[in-house]
Amino acid sequence: MAQSVGIKDVARAAGVSVGTVSNVINRPDTVATETRARVLSAIDRLGYVRSESARQLRAGRSRIMGLLVLDMGNPFFVDVARGAERAARDAGLGVMVCNSAESVGEEAEYLSLFAEQRVRGVLLTPADATGRNIDSFRRHGIPFVLVDRVSEGTTECSVSVDDVAGGALAVRHLIDAGHRSIAYVSGPPGFNQVRDRRTGALNALAEAGLGPQCLRELPTERLDVAAGRDAGARLLGLADRPTAVFCANDLLALGVLQAMYAAGVNVPDDLAIVGYDDIEFAAAAAVPLTSVRQPAVTMGALAAELLLEETEESGRGHEHRRVVLQPELVVRRSSLSVR
């Protein structure tokens, strides 16, 4: 294994003190041109790379922010990461992206890792509905911003979408198309987003004078395509099958669509489908998917900007804010049938 080159090696090769090498790296204008050139030549020849972790320990400020999401297999969170990375890069910071895979245990491990690495701050979409992981992480004094989650019960910043309004948009659209029996493929019931979208769906039914019995919930253990296919199979087995389905995200909706296609059920004539998130794959599906659009890139960028504002040296007057964005219904062929 090659031995790492340290600052003392550079000083020895250039014939200068360690302090001079440090000045060349951190304050080059304070070093004579000839001496600076000699040191830079030694750095290049030896392949010296500055220890960023050591620099952070001395300065007490990291140039890395953490991002912990529920599922990096979901394009929605890829877009959130893109927005966060763009804002961080503009500020001269990098982003450490981690995936909890909807696991409370993995979330706790990654939060511990962020604390060990002394990151500047964390952008977090929680997997732990109890809030215990957040409470434990808060003891480290590292700022964090909640993403795709309202900061209920916390004082920290959050950036989210009004999921109650989003659920209402989806089901109101189906009601307007004449549907009176609707399934809700909901995902894990512990997630606030899942509950809020269900609340919005029930609100839309109530507005139309329809009772909660018109919404049949099919919970799933995960929010992925495989879980959607499983929900689709259960839907096919119902004696009084609903005429429309609202899914808590697009991956579930795509799974339901696959199950219907395999069974020869026509979408949207036999079953209308609406998803949530409006990921790129929604428009490219075999039957283009109607979906409630979340501005994922904007969410990531806004969350990163709030974190940067809080962690800048000039941010002592920072006030925590709860930013709630509005969703938008994007209608495509998967729901364009009239009962």
Side-chain angles (χ1 to χ4, degrees):
M1 180 183 294
Q3 188 172 2
S4 62
V5 176
I7 194 170
K8 291 182 180 179
D9 300 309
V10 175
R12 189 179 304 114
V16 299
S17 68
V18 169
T20 298
V21 177
S22 177
N23 285 337
V24 169
I25 296 170
N26 299 297
R27 295 176 296 277
D29 293 342
T30 66
V31 183
T33 302
E34 182 181 341
T35 303
R36 185 167 68 242
R38 193 164 71 248
V39 171
L40 290 173
S41 176
I43 287 174
D44 183 61
R45 187 169 67 254
L46 297 174
Y48 168 76
V49 178
R50 176 173 65 173
S51 171
E52 180 63 17
S53 60
R55 188 199 68 79
Q56 290 176 12
L57 286 172
R58 289 192 299 272
R61 291 177 61 76
S62 171
R63 292 176 55 222
I64 299 294
M65 69 169 61
L67 171 63
L68 182 55
V69 300
L70 291 175
D71 180 12
M72 280 306 293
N74 186 338
F76 167 76
F77 289 111
V78 174
D79 286 343
V80 169
R82 283 175 48 216
E85 190 273 338
R86 186 180 304 163
R89 186 179 64 240
D90 289 346
L93 273 66
V95 179
M96 181 191 300
V97 182
C98 297
N99 175 27
S100 72
E102 301 177 18
S103 164
V104 173
E106 290 189 36
E107 176 181 82
E109 291 174 5
Y110 279 124
L111 288 175
S112 294
L113 175 64
F114 289 151
E116 291 170 7
Q117 296 296 316
R118 302 188 184 187
V119 296
R120 175 76 64 93
V122 174
L123 308 178
L124 170 65
T125 303
D128 181 11
T130 69
R132 283 192 290 266
N133 281 344
I134 289 178
D135 290 340
S136 179
F137 182 70
R138 191 180 283 112
R139 294 178 300 179
H140 298 289
I142 298 174
F144 63 89
V145 174
L146 299 178
V147 185
D148 193 32
R149 170 81 175 269
V150 176
S151 56
E152 295 175 352
T154 72
T155 59
E156 285 79 15
C157 289
S158 66
V159 180
S160 63
V161 166
D162 187 340
D163 285 316
V164 174
L169 280 174
V171 171
R172 193 177 296 124
H173 167 68
L174 293 172
I175 292 171
D176 289 345
H179 297 281
R180 296 296 181 267
S181 178
I182 301 168
Y184 177 43
V185 178
S186 61
F191 289 159
N192 285 12
Q193 299 94 323
V194 167
R195 294 198 300 269
D196 286 350
R197 291 165 197 177
R198 179 180 184 273
T199 296
L202 291 172
N203 288 348
L205 289 170
E207 290 171 5
L210 302 171
Q213 73 278 2
C214 295
L215 188 74
R216 178 175 297 189
E217 186 166 0
L218 297 175
T220 63
E221 293 184 356
R222 297 184 61 81
L223 289 160
D224 55 22
V225 174
R229 284 196 298 268
D230 174 71
R234 284 185 279 153
L235 190 64
L236 288 167
L238 297 176
D240 53 343
R241 191 168 72 208
T243 61
V245 181
F246 167 44
C247 298
N249 76 1
D250 284 343
L251 296 183
L252 290 171
L254 290 171
V256 171
L257 180 60
Q258 289 179 5
M260 296 305 111
Y261 181 82
V265 175
N266 183 278
V267 174
D269 293 337
D270 297 329
L271 185 76
I273 302 176
V274 176
Y276 204 104
D277 289 341
D278 195 35
I279 62 176
E280 184 177 358
F281 299 142
V287 180
L289 184 66
T290 294
S291 184
V292 178
R293 176 178 293 166
Q294 297 199 82
V297 174
T298 300
M299 288 174 66
L302 286 174
E305 289 166 5
L306 286 173
L307 188 61
L308 289 166
E309 178 186 294
E310 182 176 356
T311 58
E312 288 297 326
E313 291 180 351
S314 60
R316 291 186 177 85
H318 170 81
E319 294 183 1
H320 292 311
R321 298 198 298 279
R322 178 186 294 184
V323 179
V324 181
L325 304 174
Q326 291 303 308
E328 174 190 359
L329 181 69
V330 180
V331 178
R332 299 190 181 94
R333 191 153 62 89
S334 71
S335 64
L336 290 180
S337 65
V338 179
R339 307 304 295 179

